[in-house]
Amino acid sequence: MNITRENSDALNAVVKVEITKDDYSDKVEKVLSDYRKSANIPGFRKGHVPMSLVKKQYGKAVLVDEVNKLLQDAIGKYLVEEKLDVLGNPLPKPQDDLDWGADAFAFEFELGLAPEFDVKLKGKKAITHYNIIADDKMINDQVKHLQKQYGKLIPQEAIDEDSEITGKFSNEEEGVENVATLSLDKIKGKANTKKLVGAKVGDIITLKTKGLFDNDHDLMTYLKVAHDDAHGLDIEVNFEVSEINKRELADLDQELFDKLFGKDVITSATELKERIKADSEKQFAQQGDQKLLNDVTEYLIDSTKFDLPAEFLQKWMQTSGEEPMDEEQAKSEYEKSEKGIRYQLIEGKIIQENNLQVQFEDLKAYAMEMIKGQMAQFGQMNPTEKELEDIAARILSNQDEVKRLSEQLMSQKLLNFYKTEVNLKTKEITYDDFVKEFYS
């Protein structure tokens, strides 16, 4: 067997594999001999079928199969030995005139080569890492929400601005019929609130859905309409009032604190606010980190310049998926996935050059820490090392879980690396302002 390579350019190459009879004949003979032992052909006893007949019936199929096995094995070893970093998989060049009756064969494979490039981690312009804080307004709102949640419902005769209302939204023509409970402050627009204030049980109020709530998604909650229908929905609905209550706030006392966090964990309103702030900012930190990860990813893609073997990748995409694609479909798919391909290459280089690979011991420790946190949520504060190891072993025996946890751990490793190596600046921002700026 002889393998040669010719580089078309820095990103494309053709590998030629020449196979002679000596490479495959022994393997083909062995397979045919095994066939002969087990072949059931009318007129011959099992194991006594003439080899010439076995070759005539199975010879070409066995030859093709063994040659293909040789090819796959040879190409795989060649890529490893030559340390070739390829994109996609080698693509065999079509050979319509291949003569399987010959003793020797030659096959050609197209390769898409990974580009050479350098990653510049520190840009001139600093990337912002947002430190999201819970401000006094948010903490006080959360305290009030908890007081409402654990407070008492007091029946009212008529709706006022502090009422909690239960009623049925309906529009027969549009198929809307849903009973919902909401506070009056959920309703937007003076015209709408004016219609509701003063209404009593049994009253039917006609409301327009456009601008009824701050967010069209609330229509999904209160009217039970589909997501696509909720956006821009502009119809009239009847709201029949069935219950009116006012929620009396729960006292900020030890009884409430114990209900929320367990006996004597929190003993004052000040401690409650401190706990709300700490818990909230712990969650916000994850959102700030995710924003940082996204921004660093965008920076790296934009600042790291290199070409890709686009034509090869589009050709590879035509046959690599579950469903074959034509040229136009592959071109469209490539354009959608090009950024992702670029970042995979950049990320791979960063991981390799900085030894950030996920090792099994790292994964095991990460899984055990995650399990420990989950057990603490259910009151199991001091699990033994053996308990943690046994649960981790069960989780890590599942390949899907291994893949999921490995991706999480790698993201964490990269995030920690970026925090120390990328040019960053920290900006303090309230959660409300963070949401308005990036998600509104």
Side-chain angles (χ1 to χ4, degrees), residues 133-391:
I133 62 167
D135 59 2
D136 290 342
K137 179 182 179 301
M138 181 181 184
I139 294 168
N140 290 332
D141 286 347
Q142 183 63 19
V143 169
K144 189 173 181 181
H145 171 75
L146 291 170
Q147 286 180 281
K148 278 187 176 182
Q149 186 179 347
Y150 288 88
K152 295 178 182 177
L153 285 176
I154 301 172
Q156 290 179 290
E157 287 190 8
I159 298 173
D160 64 28
E161 291 182 355
D162 296 322
S163 294
E164 189 174 286
I165 320 154
T166 299
K168 182 169 72 175
F169 288 101
S170 62
N171 180 313
E172 188 175 346
E173 187 177 332
E174 298 293 333
V176 173
E177 186 173 355
N178 187 60
V179 175
T181 299
L182 67 160
S183 55
L184 191 64
D185 59 12
K186 271 286 184 183
I187 301 293
K188 298 303 171 186
K190 289 182 180 179
N192 290 326
T193 54
K194 189 176 179 181
K195 287 181 181 180
L196 288 163
V197 170
K200 298 180 179 180
V201 171
D203 287 352
I204 299 175
I205 301 101
T206 301
L207 301 166
K208 286 190 174 182
T209 56
K210 188 175 182 181
L212 186 58
F213 302 106
D214 259 347
N215 192 322
D216 282 348
H217 287 167
D218 285 337
L219 294 169
M220 297 166 58
T221 301
Y222 297 118
L223 274 66
K224 286 290 183 273
V225 296
H227 179 271
D228 291 344
D229 295 334
H231 286 282
L233 185 67
D234 188 6
I235 61 173
E236 286 189 344
V237 291
N238 290 328
F239 181 71
E240 183 176 357
V241 181
S242 59
E243 193 175 334
I244 307 167
N245 294 297
K246 186 172 185 176
R247 194 171 284 271
E248 184 181 81
L249 299 183
D251 291 332
L252 290 175
D253 57 14
Q254 196 59 47
E255 183 182 355
L256 176 62
F257 304 150
D258 290 349
K259 283 180 181 177
L260 292 170
F261 299 104
K263 186 168 177 56
D264 296 334
V265 174
I266 299 293
T267 59
S268 69
T270 300
E271 287 183 12
L272 173 63
K273 290 181 179 182
E274 288 172 353
R275 177 65 179 262
I276 290 171
K277 181 177 175 65
D279 288 351
S280 298
E281 290 180 354
K282 187 176 179 181
Q283 293 180 6
F284 298 161
Q286 295 174 7
Q287 296 183 52
D289 284 348
Q290 187 58 56
K291 179 75 172 78
L292 174 62
L293 199 56
N294 293 344
D295 289 345
V296 172
T297 298
E298 286 297 321
Y299 158 73
L300 290 172
I301 292 170
D302 291 341
S303 64
T304 311
K305 305 297 183 185
F306 54 82
D307 292 326
L308 289 169
E311 187 177 333
F312 169 84
L313 288 171
Q314 289 174 43
K315 195 185 294 184
W316 172 69
M317 285 178 176
Q318 287 184 250
T319 57
S320 63
E322 292 182 6
E323 295 291 333
M325 301 181 190
D326 60 29
E327 285 186 25
E328 284 302 311
Q329 288 172 321
K331 183 179 179 182
S332 174
E333 185 62 29
Y334 173 76
E335 288 170 354
K336 288 181 204 169
S337 56
E338 184 182 354
K339 266 193 172 184
I341 295 170
R342 288 182 178 279
Y343 183 66
Q344 281 182 352
L345 289 169
I346 295 166
E347 184 185 86
K349 190 176 182 71
I350 291 170
I351 291 167
Q352 184 68 34
E353 291 183 349
N354 297 281
N355 296 315
L356 299 177
Q357 296 87 347
V358 171
Q359 306 296 340
F360 180 76
E361 287 305 313
D362 297 334
L363 193 60
K364 180 182 173 184
Y366 181 75
M368 288 171 67
E369 197 61 33
M370 179 195 71
I371 294 160
K372 193 174 179 180
Q374 291 176 344
M375 292 176 77
Q377 291 178 6
F378 294 95
Q380 295 174 267
M381 305 305 293
N382 296 301
T384 65
E385 194 75 6
K386 186 177 186 310
E387 284 177 318
L388 293 172
E389 286 191 351
D390 288 347
I391 298 171

